[in-house]
Amino acid sequence: LVVNLLLSTVNSGAAVDLASVIPGGGQYNGAQFKNLGVFSPYGPGRIGTTTIKGADFWQTPTASGSFAGSLNVDVDAKTGASDLVIVEKGTATLGGKVVPSFLNATSLRPGTPVSAVIVQSALGGVVDSGLASQSSAVMTYQLSVNNGRTTLNLTATPNFAPAVLAGNQQKVGNAINGLLTSGRTIGGSTTLSD
């Protein structure tokens, strides 16, 4: 059992290799990588694939009054590329939260979803044990496990004029939506931040 503790961050590289450090000759033997803190493939602002070798990946669910594990992923809004966690031989049991960040955010278009596979586990499967992603004022996030239980998918849809805005706020939001949908810029650049 390897644990990323609460308030700790793991910015992983290409692999979290428990197969080489846990007895069993590299065979899957029920070992676990447990995430209670933040797990971020390649760290913030870099897209990469991390393979969990020789272990299950278990992220703590949200419990009333306590913290939960966080899977922080980067998604390129222009190319659709994203961080990916591959659980090579075990099961990905995911609670807690997913926190997405966007590279090339000016490529986001209101009402146009950006989708990415962020976790994959062909052998043991992907289990949703209360995983969530909190939407922001301008982004709606949806998490889904595919029918074969082999992938976790993230879909993000921007909207700068959500129904909760009123009056002038709604007008400004609609103007921003129109600007971004047309691809035009203000003063030569468009800056977008979530």
CSV table of all heavy atoms in Angstrom, one decimal, residues 1 3 30 34 39 44 56 64 124 126 164 171 173 182:
chain,number,residue,atom,x,y,z
A,1,LEU,N,0.9,-1.2,0.0
A,1,LEU,CA,0.0,0.0,0.0
A,1,LEU,C,0.9,1.2,0.0
A,1,LEU,O,1.8,1.4,0.9
A,1,LEU,CB,-0.9,0.0,1.2
A,1,LEU,CG,-1.8,1.2,1.5
A,1,LEU,CD1,-2.8,1.4,0.4
A,1,LEU,CD2,-2.4,1.2,2.8
A,3,VAL,N,0.5,5.4,-0.1
A,3,VAL,CA,-0.5,6.5,0.2
A,3,VAL,C,0.0,7.8,-0.1
A,3,VAL,O,1.1,8.2,0.4
A,3,VAL,CB,-1.0,6.4,1.6
A,3,VAL,CG1,-2.1,7.4,1.9
A,3,VAL,CG2,-1.6,5.0,1.9
A,30,GLY,N,-2.7,-7.2,-6.0
A,30,GLY,CA,-3.7,-6.5,-5.2
A,30,GLY,C,-3.1,-5.3,-4.4
A,30,GLY,O,-3.8,-4.8,-3.5
A,34,LYS,N,-3.1,4.6,-3.0
A,34,LYS,CA,-4.3,5.3,-2.5
A,34,LYS,C,-4.0,6.8,-2.5
A,34,LYS,O,-3.0,7.3,-1.9
A,34,LYS,CB,-4.5,4.8,-1.1
A,34,LYS,CG,-5.8,5.3,-0.5
A,34,LYS,CD,-6.0,4.7,0.9
A,34,LYS,CE,-6.6,3.4,0.8
A,34,LYS,NZ,-7.1,2.9,2.1
A,39,PHE,N,-3.4,14.3,-7.0
A,39,PHE,CA,-2.6,13.5,-7.9
A,39,PHE,C,-2.7,14.2,-9.3
A,39,PHE,O,-3.8,14.4,-9.8
A,39,PHE,CB,-3.2,12.0,-8.0
A,39,PHE,CG,-2.3,11.2,-8.9
A,39,PHE,CD1,-1.2,10.6,-8.4
A,39,PHE,CD2,-2.6,10.9,-10.2
A,39,PHE,CE1,-0.4,9.7,-9.2
A,39,PHE,CE2,-1.8,10.1,-11.0
A,39,PHE,CZ,-0.7,9.5,-10.5
A,44,PRO,N,0.9,20.6,-13.0
A,44,PRO,CA,0.1,21.6,-13.7
A,44,PRO,C,0.7,22.1,-15.0
A,44,PRO,O,1.9,22.4,-15.0
A,44,PRO,CB,-0.1,22.7,-12.7
A,44,PRO,CG,0.6,22.3,-11.4
A,44,PRO,CD,1.4,21.0,-11.7
A,56,ASP,N,-3.8,-1.3,-7.8
A,56,ASP,CA,-5.0,-0.6,-8.0
A,56,ASP,C,-4.8,0.9,-7.8
A,56,ASP,O,-3.9,1.3,-7.0
A,56,ASP,CB,-6.1,-1.0,-7.0
A,56,ASP,CG,-6.6,-2.5,-7.2
A,56,ASP,OD1,-6.6,-2.9,-8.4
A,56,ASP,OD2,-6.8,-3.2,-6.2
A,64,SER,N,-18.8,13.3,4.5
A,64,SER,CA,-19.3,14.5,5.2
A,64,SER,C,-18.3,15.0,6.2
A,64,SER,O,-17.8,14.3,7.1
A,64,SER,CB,-20.6,14.1,5.9
A,64,SER,OG,-21.1,15.3,6.6
A,124,GLY,N,-9.1,-4.3,-14.8
A,124,GLY,CA,-9.9,-4.2,-13.6
A,124,GLY,C,-11.1,-3.3,-13.7
A,124,GLY,O,-12.0,-3.4,-12.8
A,126,VAL,N,-13.1,0.6,-14.3
A,126,VAL,CA,-13.2,1.9,-13.6
A,126,VAL,C,-14.5,1.9,-12.8
A,126,VAL,O,-15.5,1.6,-13.4
A,126,VAL,CB,-13.2,3.1,-14.7
A,126,VAL,CG1,-13.4,4.4,-14.0
A,126,VAL,CG2,-11.9,3.1,-15.5
A,164,VAL,N,-28.4,31.8,-14.4
A,164,VAL,CA,-28.4,32.4,-13.1
A,164,VAL,C,-28.1,33.9,-13.2
A,164,VAL,O,-28.3,34.7,-12.2
A,164,VAL,CB,-27.4,31.7,-12.1
A,164,VAL,CG1,-27.9,30.3,-11.8
A,164,VAL,CG2,-26.0,31.8,-12.6
A,171,LYS,N,-26.5,40.2,-20.5
A,171,LYS,CA,-26.1,40.9,-21.7
A,171,LYS,C,-24.5,40.8,-21.9
A,171,LYS,O,-24.1,40.5,-23.1
A,171,LYS,CB,-26.5,42.3,-21.7
A,171,LYS,CG,-28.0,42.5,-21.8
A,171,LYS,CD,-28.5,43.9,-21.7
A,171,LYS,CE,-30.0,44.0,-21.7
A,171,LYS,NZ,-30.5,45.4,-21.5
A,173,GLY,N,-22.5,38.5,-20.6
A,173,GLY,CA,-22.3,37.1,-20.9
A,173,GLY,C,-22.6,36.7,-22.3
A,173,GLY,O,-21.8,36.0,-23.0
A,182,SER,N,-17.6,33.6,-32.5
A,182,SER,CA,-17.2,34.1,-33.8
A,182,SER,C,-15.7,34.0,-34.1
A,182,SER,O,-15.2,34.1,-35.2
A,182,SER,CB,-17.5,35.6,-34.0
A,182,SER,OG,-16.7,36.4,-33.1
